[in-house]
Amino acid sequence: EERLKQASHQIEEKRRQRDGTAEELHELERGVAQKRSRVEVLEQLLQKGEGLAAGTQQVLKGLDRPEVFSTGVRGLLASAIEVDGAFIPAIEAALQEHLQAVLLTESELAEQVVETLHSKQLGKASLVARDLIQLRRVPDRQLMPEGGLAWALDKVRAKPEAVEVIDHLLANVLIVEDLHTALRVKRQIPDLTLVTTRGELVTIDGFIHGGASKEEGSSTLRREAEVRELRAALETLERQKSEKEQLLAQLREELEEAQREESSLREASQR
């Protein structure tokens, strides 16, 4: 009778563990579904070029001859770089409209692209050709001034096709905490471009850009960053889900075994 009581108690415990694990698995499955859905939405927006100028979208699609332009068009600059999340506003301020520039392998192709955009009135686009960028010398980096948080270049990881472009665009661009610091450093070192973590910009020519609006949408750079973060989170959730599925299967087997044992004990006690 004591063994039967223990067997019954074990069954109840296994059921409790099974039900708890099943609930945890359900939560993980829901989290995976939500994140996967968000990734799909973002990737669709990126693929459609949501928020990009009409001409830029046309260039990315290959204009009227995708088979000709596809090999020389290397995508958006924004899609060719990765930025630490905390510094995205600063890098966006530093690069501004250059983020929507389309990377080309050579300047001869740029002439064909612009001519097609103009003749067919498909819109305007900003283009950057690798062979023209290579003609310029990247200025030497200065010493980190007091008040600087980081050089912008150190917070950007660029794909091979974008390295030279980014080296030029972010040369001697310094990230600081706030606009007050940016203006102070600018007075001391005039040949620097300064950006703040909130996204204000003081250009090398002394122009100051800042502020915000309620209508500001999600940029390509932010969407790319969110997709990377979601994919990393998905990988973790998928692993946890797999482990939880294995545990649930094990608990079900143990419960069935406990139930068989209890059944045998009951039969034995009734003889």
Side-chain angles (χ1 to χ4, degrees), residues 77 92-101 126:
L77 178 59
E92 284 184 330
L95 294 175
Q96 294 187 315
E97 69 277 1
H98 295 305
L99 283 166
Q100 285 199 19
S126 178

Side-chain angles (χ1 to χ4, degrees), residues 62-79:
L63 296 169
D64 56 344
R65 291 181 296 166
E67 70 284 355
V68 174
F69 292 113
S70 60
T71 55
V73 175
R74 305 305 298 274
L76 275 185
L77 178 59
S79 298

Side-chain angles (χ1 to χ4, degrees), residues 20-213:
T21 302
E23 181 61 30
E24 291 171 358
L25 177 59
H26 177 69
E27 287 299 315
L28 285 170
E29 288 173 338
R30 188 167 64 176
V32 166
Q34 288 174 342
K35 283 183 168 48
R36 190 174 286 150
S37 175
R38 178 61 178 165
V39 167
E40 289 173 358
V41 168
L42 289 170
E43 287 184 334
Q44 287 175 6
L45 291 173
L46 289 168
Q47 188 175 4
K48 292 178 181 177
E50 187 77 19
L52 300 177
T56 302
Q57 293 183 25
Q58 291 295 327
V59 176
L60 292 173
K61 291 176 184 175
L63 296 169
D64 56 344
R65 291 181 296 166
E67 70 284 355
V68 174
F69 292 113
S70 60
T71 55
V73 175
R74 305 305 298 274
L76 275 185
L77 178 59
S79 298
I81 63 175
E82 293 183 12
V83 180
D84 295 341
F87 293 98
I88 285 178
I91 300 304
E92 284 184 330
L95 294 175
Q96 294 187 315
E97 69 277 1
H98 295 305
L99 283 166
Q100 285 199 19
V102 179
L103 298 165
L104 302 180
T105 52
E106 56 185 20
S107 52
E108 289 185 7
L109 181 62
E111 189 174 356
Q112 299 175 48
V113 168
V114 171
E115 183 57 37
T116 302
L117 288 172
H118 188 273
S119 62
K120 296 183 179 295
Q121 296 186 324
L122 296 175
K124 295 183 178 181
S126 178
L127 313 170
V128 56
R130 190 171 184 180
D131 58 327
L132 295 185
I133 288 292
Q134 291 172 336
L135 298 177
R136 294 180 54 201
R137 186 182 71 84
V138 177
D140 296 330
R141 182 180 293 195
Q142 301 185 28
L143 294 174
M144 175 77 70
E146 183 183 352
L149 296 177
W151 293 107
L153 271 174
D154 294 335
K155 298 302 175 183
V156 177
R157 295 173 295 281
K159 294 180 181 178
E161 63 267 25
V163 169
E164 291 162 323
V165 178
I166 290 298
D167 283 349
H168 282 285
L169 292 176
L170 296 182
N172 285 326
V173 175
L174 184 68
I175 301 174
V176 297
E177 183 64 37
D178 50 41
L179 186 58
H180 177 77
T181 305
L183 295 172
R184 176 176 59 77
V185 175
K186 184 65 176 176
R187 295 185 195 102
Q188 296 169 350
I189 312 174
D191 56 346
L192 283 183
T193 293
L194 295 116
V195 288
T196 72
T197 54
R198 198 169 68 172
E200 289 104 355
L201 166 70
V202 182
T203 71
I204 194 168
D205 298 313
F207 287 84
I208 302 166
H209 301 267
S213 65

